[in-house]
């Protein structure tokens, strides 16, 4: 589902953020991506989401080589890849419903279908009753779950999360990871960048480790 072939990423003023990265993730795997701050985790996720392009090497997602993807297929690719951020990036003045609906509105989905799919996504994260709340009225764990619902609503086969529990206490963090495990069991492919070594060790999923832009560890599938 995701394949990196000798991928390098250099930022002009910073040098190499990723060097000679090779790995493959199969459909339906849940994989952790760990490493110190600045190790290259966000960069790696951004390459998969096509928010950045590699300086060298190939990134393949679902059999498509992102380097040679025609421009007109970029929106289609982005719909294949849901992204979740640490700061969840919700619109503070819109309701939970509207925040989750946003990707579908952008895609031009029919309003009736939007209602159905937004409620299905909110149901998956246990927030059906909060659809008319604004993000500020929610706890930080609930806000992150809204961010997850928004990433899910387009039914992407791949879900990427960048430090999704960075601002949450251990119990809420565990709930979020358990939610991800449920997605894995319905066939989603997940790659989760995290510093949360406690949960990584507890939950025992395949773990890739970056150190200064190099892939220094891969536990393989547990
Ligand atoms: P992590 O997510 O593991 O903290 P990042 O991928 O954010 O690592 O960063 C890897 C390296 O690349 C760091 O040295 C960081 O400062 C640098 N970097 C990340 N994004 C950019 C950018 N847009 N421009 C320049 N340097 C960047
Ligand atoms: P994360 O916490 O997800 O690792 P960062 O704090 O590394 O994210 O980066 C946040 C944003 O700042 C990203 O969009 C990244 O591209 C940008 N960025 C990170 N490091 C640098 C840098 N050294 N120069 C310019 N932009 C950077």
């Amino acid at each position: 589902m995701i394949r990196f072939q000798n991928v390098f990423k250099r930022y002009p003023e910073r040098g190499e953020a990723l060097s000679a990265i090779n790995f493959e993730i199969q459909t339906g795997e849940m994989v952790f991506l760990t490493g110190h701050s600045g190790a290259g985790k966000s960069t790696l996720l951004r390459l998969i989401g096509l928010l950045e392009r590699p300086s060298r090497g190939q990134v393949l997602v679902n059999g498509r080589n992102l380097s040679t993807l025609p421009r007109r297929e970029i929106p289609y690719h982005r719909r294949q890849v849901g992204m979740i951020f640490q700061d969840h990036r919700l619109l503070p003045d819109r309701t939970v419903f509207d925040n989750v609906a946003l990707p579908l509105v952008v895609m031009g989905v029919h309003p009736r279908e939007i209602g159905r799919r937004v409620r299905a996504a909110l149901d998956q994260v246990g927030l059906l009753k909060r659809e008319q709340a604004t993000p500020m009225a929610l706890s930080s764990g609930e806000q992150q779950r809204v961010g997850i619902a928004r990433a899910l609503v387009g039914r992407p086969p791949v879900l990427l999360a960048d430090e999704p529990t960075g601002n949450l206490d251990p119990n809420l963090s565990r709930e979020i990871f358990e939610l991800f495990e449920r997605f894995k069991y319905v066939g989603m492919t997940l790659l989760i960048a995290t510093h949360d070594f406690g949960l990584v060790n507890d939950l025992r999923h395949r773990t890739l480790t970056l150190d200064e832009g190099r892939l220094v560890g891969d536990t393989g599938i547990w």
Side-chain angles (χ1 to χ4, degrees), residues 11 13-14 42 46 52 86 89 162-163:
Y11 293 111
E13 67 281 26
R14 292 288 311 203
S42 298
R46 291 203 297 266
E52 302 272 4
Q86 173 171 357
R89 306 192 185 172
D162 195 353
E163 300 281 355

Side-chain angles (χ1 to χ4, degrees), residues 8-12 14-18 53-56:
F8 290 73
K9 176 66 186 179
R10 171 173 306 151
Y11 293 111
R14 292 288 311 203
E16 220 88 80
L18 291 175
R53 289 177 179 277
S55 313
R56 251 176 79 189

Side-chain angles (χ1 to χ4, degrees), residues 29 38-39 54 60 62-64 72 81 85 96 99-100 111 114 116 118-119 148 175 180 186 198 213:
E29 274 191 77
L60 290 97
N62 209 356
R64 309 302 305 272
R72 65 173 184 282
V81 179
F85 306 94
V96 165
N99 269 281
V100 175
I114 289 180
R116 211 173 58 72
V118 167
R119 291 194 181 96
I148 294 170
E175 278 178 27
F180 290 144
V186 297

Side-chain angles (χ1 to χ4, degrees), residues 1-209:
M1 177 55 92
I2 300 171
R3 180 140 58 114
F4 275 55
Q5 291 177 333
N6 202 30
V7 170
F8 290 73
K9 176 66 186 179
R10 171 173 306 151
Y11 293 111
E13 67 281 26
R14 292 288 311 203
E16 220 88 80
L18 291 175
S19 303
I21 303 291
N22 289 288
F23 67 86
E24 194 165 346
I25 295 176
Q26 308 295 335
T27 301
E29 274 191 77
M30 172 162 163
V31 179
F32 289 129
L33 180 63
T34 60
H36 59 89
S37 176
K41 303 182 294 298
S42 298
T43 298
L44 192 150
L45 296 182
R46 291 203 297 266
L47 291 174
I48 299 169
L50 209 48
L51 308 179
E52 302 272 4
R53 289 177 179 277
S55 313
R56 251 176 79 189
Q58 321 276 335
V59 177
L60 290 97
V61 178
N62 209 356
R64 309 302 305 272
N65 185 335
L66 300 190
S67 312
T68 56
L69 202 65
R71 185 178 295 270
R72 65 173 184 282
E73 289 189 29
I74 292 176
Y76 172 79
H77 171 75
R78 295 235 168 93
R79 291 203 288 274
Q80 304 297 300
V81 179
M83 293 195 76
I84 296 161
F85 306 94
Q86 173 171 357
D87 56 6
H88 44 69
R89 306 192 185 172
L90 301 177
L91 300 171
D93 56 344
R94 303 289 189 86
T95 63
V96 165
F97 183 97
D98 288 346
N99 269 281
V100 175
L102 196 59
L104 302 181
V105 172
V106 171
M107 283 159 61
V109 173
H110 191 280
R112 204 175 325 126
E113 176 71 4
I114 289 180
R116 211 173 58 72
R117 285 171 62 176
V118 167
R119 291 194 181 96
L122 287 174
D123 191 28
Q124 280 185 284
V125 300
L127 283 178
L128 210 42
K129 294 202 176 106
R130 307 304 306 262
E131 64 172 85
Q132 289 309 318
T134 55
M136 276 186 311
L138 302 179
S139 70
S140 47
E142 287 173 329
Q143 289 174 5
Q144 188 53 287
R145 285 190 278 145
V146 177
I148 294 170
R150 184 187 50 194
L152 283 177
V153 77
R155 303 196 190 118
V158 176
L159 201 62
L160 307 177
D162 195 353
E163 300 281 355
T165 61
N167 293 322
L168 303 180
D169 70 40
N171 286 331
L172 289 174
S173 299
R174 180 172 283 275
E175 278 178 27
I176 297 285
F177 280 115
E178 286 171 355
L179 198 52
F180 290 144
E181 287 183 321
R182 272 194 265 148
F183 301 154
K184 169 190 159 67
Y185 291 119
V186 297
M188 262 188 157
T189 306
L190 295 107
L191 183 57
I192 302 158
T194 181
H195 269 109
D196 199 332
F197 295 106
L199 276 173
V200 167
N201 286 331
D202 257 27
L203 296 176
R204 305 204 152 223
H205 294 285
R206 179 180 173 194
T207 303
L208 302 175
T209 306

